[in-house]
């Protein structure tokens, strides 16, 4: 069984930044990522609010973070972590068919898109239902496309999808958007985008592919059909904390509770990024969390050595 000073679970901006700081502190560090380094960030087409980069793609920012971390000696393995166990000063991280040991762990496992939970969503996933505009947008050249949600993700990706779609309909359950003003202004000024306010999707229908949505107006209860070729769902995120199964304290929404030093209720176990209970989920705050967690872990390990 491989033994490390520090194991980082998750290779998004929080985990990779933690890796940069940990390796620069000469901690023997392993980062375990289940998919491609970058996490959700790697799926963002255009980032324009990460300081120092007027505009950068999520993939490029992820690649740069990964190579920067590797330059300082970060070891990265691509595996899915299934559980964590805490035994006195040992922290055991279980992946599929593997077991790793460390003295400290940073959980930076991020979040994933929430599902709408309506009939047709699972059935048409990959056949017109998508959660990633960067991945699937190009399939909708000249098509009528709906985006569900009114947050930053929905409005940013709706604007991006108009590169391909001939018509883009944003379906939002209220009559005011949650998204940052600059994103709202851009979407509201985009002639290809139309808004269906106070509306929710009740069902996704089609034949081989999606052909229409059944919408309900939440104000007057009326139902109607909206013909579309595809629908992108951006109704929030949920934290990837199932694998923790009671090892650290979570809030009612499943986010890990930490203090300002990113410490969880378990000594030597830290959390960073979107997986953590916090007020602002951004790449820049994920990176900051990662740096703080790594330095807190370094301090913890130094006190353990005394
Ligand atoms: P979000 O901010 O939680 O927004 C989710 C949206 O979906 C809200 O408008 C919400 O409506 C709506 N919604 C939730 N459940 C719904 C349901 N069952 N049916 C219909 N609509 C539903 O999620 P997000 O946009 O994915 O963003 C996640 C985090 O990443 C946020 O912290 C966001 O700021 C950040 N982010 C930032 C950027 C950026 O800075 N450019 C880009 C993407 C994401 P209500 O408004 O009525 O609640």
């Amino acid at each position: 069984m491989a033994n490390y000073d520090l194991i980082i679970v998750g290779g998004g901006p929080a985990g990779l930044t933690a890796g940069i700081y940990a390796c620069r502190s000469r901690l023997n560090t392993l980062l375990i990522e289940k998919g491609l380094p970058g996490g959700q960030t790697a799926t963002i087409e255009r980032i324009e609010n990460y300081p120092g980069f007027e505009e950068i793609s999520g993939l490029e920012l992820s690649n740069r973070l990964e190579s920067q971390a590797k330059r300082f000696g970060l070891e990265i393995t691509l595996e899915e972590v299934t559980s964590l166990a805490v035994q006195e000063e040992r922290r055991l991280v279980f992946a599929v068919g593997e077991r790793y040991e460390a003295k400290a762990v940073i959980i930076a496992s991020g979040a994933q898109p929430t599902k709408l939970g309506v009939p047709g969503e699972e059935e048409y996933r990959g056949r017109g239902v998508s959660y990633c505009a960067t991945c699937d947008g190009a399939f909708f050249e000249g098509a009528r496309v709906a985006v569900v949600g009114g947050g930053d993700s929905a409005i940013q990706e709706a604007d991006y999808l108009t590169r391909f779609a001939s018509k883009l309909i944003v379906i939002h359950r209220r009559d005011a958007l949650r998204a940052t003003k600059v994103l709202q202004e851009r979407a509201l000024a985009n002639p290809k985008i139309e808004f269906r306010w106070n509306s929710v999707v009740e069902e996704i229908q089609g034949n081989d592919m999606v052909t229409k949505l059944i919408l309900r107006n939440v104000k007057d209860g009326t139902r109607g059909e909206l013909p579309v070729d595809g629908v992108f769902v951006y109704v929030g995120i949920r934290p990837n904390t199932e694998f923790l199964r009671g090892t650290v304290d979570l809030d009612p929404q499943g986010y890990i509770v930490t203090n300002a030093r990113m410490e969880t209720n378990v000594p030597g176990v830290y959390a960073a990024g979107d997986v953590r209970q916090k007020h602002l989920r951004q790449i820049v705050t994920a990176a900051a969390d990662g740096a703080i967690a790594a330095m807190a872990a370094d301090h913890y390990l130094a006190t353990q050595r005394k």
Side-chain angles (χ1 to χ4, degrees):
M1 180 176 57
N3 210 322
Y4 295 87
D5 293 325
L6 175 67
I7 290 176
I8 299 166
V9 180
L16 288 168
T17 305
I20 292 169
Y21 278 74
C23 291
R24 285 173 61 85
S25 295
R26 297 287 181 247
L27 299 182
N28 178 20
T29 306
L30 173 71
L31 184 149
I32 309 176
E33 162 59 42
K34 73 172 175 194
L36 285 178
Q40 290 189 107
T41 296
T43 70
I44 303 170
E45 185 61 27
R46 187 174 64 171
I47 295 162
E48 52 184 22
N49 57 357
Y50 191 75
F53 294 91
E54 281 176 31
E55 199 176 307
I56 187 167
S57 77
L59 194 59
E60 189 182 351
L61 182 60
S62 303
N63 288 340
R64 284 183 183 224
L65 280 167
E66 184 189 1
S67 64
Q68 192 178 3
K70 282 182 167 166
R71 197 177 127 211
F72 293 114
L74 182 66
E75 184 182 337
I76 299 179
T77 180
L78 298 183
E79 286 170 79
E80 179 159 6
V81 171
T82 52
S83 63
L84 172 71
V86 175
Q87 294 176 351
E88 296 176 357
E89 72 282 3
R90 300 164 79 205
R91 312 278 168 264
L92 301 174
V93 177
F94 297 87
V96 180
E98 259 315 332
R99 192 170 83 151
Y100 299 97
E101 184 178 332
K103 299 178 195 79
V105 171
I106 296 174
I107 303 160
S109 48
Q112 58 178 295
T114 308
K115 306 272 163 47
L116 275 174
V118 299
E121 185 177 19
E122 273 310 310
E123 187 185 344
Y124 288 106
R125 186 175 182 155
R127 294 192 292 139
V129 175
S130 174
Y131 303 86
C132 177
T134 306
C135 320
D136 300 327
F139 295 122
F140 294 90
E141 189 71 55
R144 269 175 71 84
V145 173
V147 166
V148 189
D152 283 337
S153 300
I155 302 311
Q156 177 171 296
E157 301 308 314
D159 188 57
Y160 166 68
L161 283 165
T162 59
R163 289 190 200 180
F164 313 102
S166 59
K167 189 80 207 163
L168 196 298
I169 306 107
V170 173
I171 300 159
H172 184 37
R173 65 183 179 182
R174 291 188 292 134
D175 61 1
L177 297 172
R178 177 181 294 278
T180 308
K181 287 287 184 294
V182 70
L183 297 175
Q184 291 194 27
E185 287 161 12
R186 201 176 290 156
L188 289 164
N190 186 328
K192 279 190 179 177
I193 301 182
E194 177 187 313
F195 289 84
R196 289 293 174 98
W197 303 108
N198 302 310
S199 298
V200 292
V201 176
E202 283 209 324
E203 193 172 344
I204 300 168
Q205 295 184 354
N207 36 51
D208 276 357
M209 300 288 288
V210 168
T211 56
K212 63 183 169 196
L213 306 178
I214 308 300
L215 301 186
R216 179 171 54 86
N217 184 304
V218 294
K219 284 266 155 91
D220 59 20
T222 53
R223 287 186 169 73
E225 292 186 354
L226 179 71
V228 291
D229 304 301
V231 53
F232 287 77
V233 179
Y234 288 106
V235 293
I237 53 173
R238 63 184 176 88
N240 294 320
T241 47
E242 288 87 354
F243 69 98
L244 294 170
R245 285 184 214 95
T247 32
V248 297
D249 282 351
L250 307 178
D251 74 5
Q253 284 72 45
Y255 291 97
I256 301 172
V257 178
T258 70
N259 61 16
R261 290 167 54 85
M262 309 299 139
E263 292 165 334
T264 68
N265 62 310
V266 179
V269 179
Y270 305 82
D274 280 3
V275 75
R276 181 174 90 79
Q277 183 190 55
K278 62 195 292 192
H279 293 297
L280 184 64
R281 291 198 171 81
Q282 295 282 307
I283 299 168
V284 67
T285 63
D289 284 2
I292 294 166
M295 298 323 290
D298 183 40
H299 184 256
Y300 168 81
L301 292 168
T303 56
Q304 294 290 301
R305 283 192 287 268
K306 278 183 189 155

